[in-house]
Amino acid sequence: MSKHQWTEEETDRFKRIYNNSTNDELRVSFPWASDYSLWSKACHLGLSKDKEILLDKRYVETKLVKLLDDSPEAAYWFGFLIADGYFSNRRLEIEVARVDLKHLKVLSTYLETSNIHLVKNNTQARLTIIDRHVIPKIRQKFGIKDKKTYNPLEKLPYLSGELLCCFLAGLIDGDGHVSSNQSFKRITIKVHENWLKFFNSLSLAIAKYFGENKFGKTYLTSNSYCAFELADQIQLTWFKRLLVNNKLPLMKRKWDKIDEGRICVGCKERKKIVISMLEEGYSEKEIIDIGGFSKKYVQGVKNGIKNE
């Protein structure tokens, strides 16, 4: 069999794709060429690749491709990374306070890497993964722009309401705050004002999934931050229950404040329950504690009864 001669078109294509291709991808693109032939051609053309691409073993060991899955855990971790992570064209980096080092280790286990280091006088923990092949795909799929603090995602990352809930949970564990007293819980996220439209779309999509008119509220604060707030105690219960049912690796210091075992009913049944409990002689405080209703809601129902 005669030796294959490179055509001009093949040489041009080789030049275009060489720097951004793994060795396995080059073998697929030029199946007739041996590894030596590919190496020799690159040397002849004066081409070279970054060390991350040359090391196929390094590429195989990164599991960022998991983030492209439409699964609850992938959606959760993607939300967490959008909140706290940094995406360049080839590098993913996330840095958290040392108190959350254990949670970062859960992420590193999911992505099958151990590249975590303590930084800033051991007060922060940082995870870094380099993958020039997969990270551009992640950025393209989800519409991640440079300087994402100021540039929101181009669209909602998932069509499924369930996956959007998992994604929101990741955002909360990355950027959110869960406040709690004995009978009232609240989740709050504050981000740059440019994210207002995105959070409006996100809350509406999740509301539709739960069969509600709204899910939480989104607004601009007095100092021009976009704030998302979820304080409806019934919705919090639904939300937490869904996340637990999907076995997500939630950050315990936040989510342990919310009890998913409380009464969980649709909004159309709430008024009936409150009225029934009032008729049975329950106090306003007992209705709030047992049913997870807000004080404002219970008082509204009582006022409505008086006016009938």
Side-chain angles (χ1 to χ4, degrees), residues 7 27-28 33 61 69 71 112 119 127 164-165 167 185-186 204 225 229 237 254 257 302:
T7 66
R27 294 180 190 113
V28 171
E61 288 177 346
D69 294 341
S71 67
E112 301 179 42
V119 296
L127 170 66
L164 288 175
C165 288
F167 168 74
K185 325 292 180 185
R186 177 190 287 113
L204 286 173
Y225 278 92
E229 183 178 290
T237 303
K254 295 185 179 183
K257 298 175 183 178
K302 290 175 68 177

Side-chain angles (χ1 to χ4, degrees), residues 158-183:
Y158 306 98
L159 297 177
S160 160
E162 183 177 33
L163 293 183
L164 288 175
C165 288
C166 299
F167 168 74
L168 177 57
L171 288 176
I172 292 165
D173 277 352
D175 264 344
H177 174 69
V178 181
S179 55
S180 170
N181 59 34
Q182 191 170 12
S183 61

Side-chain angles (χ1 to χ4, degrees), residues 21-83:
S21 299
T22 65
N23 290 343
D24 281 342
E25 289 170 330
L26 290 173
R27 294 180 190 113
V28 171
S29 296
F30 306 97
W32 43 264
S34 65
D35 287 353
Y36 176 79
S37 176
L38 293 171
W39 172 81
S40 177
K41 188 68 173 177
C43 290
H44 176 72
L45 295 172
L47 301 176
S48 62
K49 292 189 288 187
D50 290 343
K51 62 181 181 181
E52 292 87 6
I53 292 296
L54 286 170
L55 295 174
D56 276 352
K57 184 175 183 296
R58 176 70 176 271
Y59 169 70
V60 170
E61 288 177 346
T62 66
K63 299 296 182 181
L64 285 176
V65 69
K66 288 184 176 182
L67 295 176
L68 295 171
D69 294 341
D70 286 342
S71 67
E73 191 169 9
Y76 168 80
W77 284 121
F78 179 64
F80 186 68
L81 289 166
I82 281 296

Side-chain angles (χ1 to χ4, degrees), residues 10 16 47 53 74 85 128 177 180 200 224 252 283 298:
E10 289 168 343
R16 286 197 309 271
L47 301 176
I53 292 296
T128 303
H177 174 69
S180 170
N200 274 329
S224 296
K252 290 180 66 64
S283 69
V298 174

